[in-house]
Amino acid sequence: MPASMQGPLQPGVYRFKLGGFEIATILDSKSVREGVHPLYGANASAGEVEALARANNIDPARLEHPNVPTLVNTGKELVLFDTGNGALPREYEQLKTRMPAGNLIARLAELGHKPEDIDVIVTTHGHPDHIGGLTEGGQPVFKNARYVFGATEYDFWQKNEGVREARKFNRELFVKICTPLADRATFIKPGDQVAAGITAVDAFGHSPGLMAFHIESDGKRFMITADTFTHFVMGVQRPDWFFDMDDDKDKAVATRKRILDMLATDRLMVASFHMPFPSLGWIDRAQGGYRWVPHSYQLNL
């Protein structure tokens, strides 16, 4: 009797040790987007973008877009960076066709944690796939957590000055979800510490106040880059190409180049929110630019 087909199966959590810390990346959700151009490379030709995709064995017509929060256990606190989509696609009709519901809570359970175990939630920036899991039905999901927002990012959404048309609904979501959490929040700037060993880094551009984070424990170093670059080929090999969802495209390009150079120079391992799961790797210099080198077994040893 023939065996029945079971469908694709992919792991949803990956945990490793970094000095005295434990770090886990969590596959909250993923979507498939149609076409790499002009989503990437609107300032380049469709032919150039499609040629780069084919050179890297990527279908130019479709690309996978995962959402991957990171959990850092310092031994004293559980610090969660971003919360994925959450229930937003169930709560807002206009999001149902754009994004899948998040699986963060189920994935946390695989790691042995409940929502009430989370001590700190750091929001790298205010886009829906990063704030969606903060609340459900208007109530906080992580009832015992304190919250950390970048001051520049929070002020941008609150003041509603210069929000581009494509982000108007995003602004409504941010105010509805994040404003009620302000009395339990800390507002930080680049250089500030979230906890011992966790320091904010300026990554402004993709959003007005996007933060990356440098992690260090017992001499081991690591970076959470959030949406500094959003595709392992398009955002790394061609950092000068525009990404449609960058709010300040010229600034985002400058930030990508600066952070890619830092990562390559310092040989820092990276967790990046939209890279192929487990979303861990390094940035190498290659052919006058950069390339993403995915983690294989290095963290297992």
Side-chain angles (χ1 to χ4, degrees):
M1 181 176 177
S4 61
M5 298 295 180
Q6 301 297 311
L9 180 65
Q10 180 179 16
V13 295
Y14 182 83
R15 183 167 57 207
F16 62 96
K17 188 174 176 61
L18 184 88
F21 291 177
E22 280 191 343
I23 299 178
T25 54
I26 303 165
L27 181 60
D28 173 74
S29 56
K30 60 181 180 178
S31 57
V32 175
R33 296 185 170 174
E34 300 300 319
V36 293
H37 185 274
L39 180 64
Y40 290 93
N43 55 338
S45 72
E48 289 177 286
V49 176
E50 291 170 6
L52 182 65
R54 289 192 184 95
N56 287 273
N57 300 305
I58 296 169
D59 182 352
R62 302 167 78 243
L63 60 88
E64 181 179 281
H65 191 71
N67 299 324
V68 184
T70 300
L71 180 69
V72 177
N73 184 350
T74 69
K76 295 180 179 179
E77 293 181 307
L78 283 174
V79 184
L80 177 63
F81 291 82
D82 295 321
T83 58
N85 290 344
L88 287 184
R90 295 192 295 269
E91 295 180 348
Y92 295 91
E93 188 68 31
Q94 60 266 57
L95 295 178
K96 286 182 179 178
T97 59
R98 290 169 46 191
M99 55 198 292
N103 296 290
L104 178 62
I105 302 307
R107 303 294 194 218
L108 283 172
E110 291 182 50
L111 293 167
H113 304 302
K114 302 182 291 297
E116 54 266 34
D117 296 336
I118 304 300
D119 298 295
V120 185
I121 294 180
V122 180
T123 297
T124 62
H125 63 299
H127 292 170
D129 51 334
H130 297 260
I131 64 173
L134 285 169
T135 63
E136 184 165 353
Q139 298 300 312
V141 172
F142 302 92
K143 301 185 185 302
N144 296 326
R146 65 179 174 90
Y147 301 90
V148 176
F149 296 100
T152 298
E153 183 79 4
Y154 190 88
D155 288 348
F156 170 78
W157 296 110
Q158 292 297 317
K159 290 177 180 177
N160 198 24
E161 296 173 359
V163 178
R164 61 190 179 113
E165 190 61 36
R167 290 289 186 197
K168 295 293 186 183
F169 179 62
N170 189 160
R171 194 261 169 178
E172 293 176 23
L173 287 176
F174 186 90
V175 171
K176 183 174 181 179
I177 291 170
C178 298
T179 301
L181 305 175
D183 61 349
R184 295 165 55 185
T186 302
F187 301 92
I188 64 172
K189 62 184 184 301
D192 288 347
Q193 282 201 334
V194 171
I198 303 176
T199 306
V201 176
D202 175 352
F204 298 1
H206 171 70
S207 69
L210 173 67
M211 293 283 212
F213 290 87
H214 180 270
I215 315 291
E216 185 168 1
S217 175
D218 295 343
K220 303 293 185 181
R221 301 170 63 207
F222 181 75
M223 278 280 288
I224 296 171
T225 58
D227 286 17
T228 306
F229 32 88
T230 56
H231 190 274
F232 75 105
V233 172
M234 303 299 159
V236 175
Q237 293 185 25
R238 297 292 188 275
D240 54 325
W241 283 357
F242 290 165
F243 174 48
D244 180 65
M245 295 182 188
D246 287 340
D247 288 332
D248 184 332
K249 292 177 173 53
D250 290 329
K251 196 168 193 175
V253 166
T255 293
R256 272 195 291 279
K257 291 179 177 179
R258 170 172 54 85
I259 290 186
L260 286 166
D261 179 72
M262 177 185 68
L263 295 171
T265 298
D266 293 350
R267 302 295 297 150
L268 289 180
M269 171 164 263
V270 178
S272 190
F273 194 83
H274 294 299
M275 294 303 191
F277 191 76
S279 311
L280 297 165
W282 292 265
I283 299 297
D284 273 2
R285 289 189 171 87
Q287 298 178 339
Y290 304 95
R291 68 184 181 110
W292 171 255
V293 181
H295 156 62
S296 55
Y297 61 75
Q298 295 92 334
L299 296 173
N300 302 338
L301 302 177

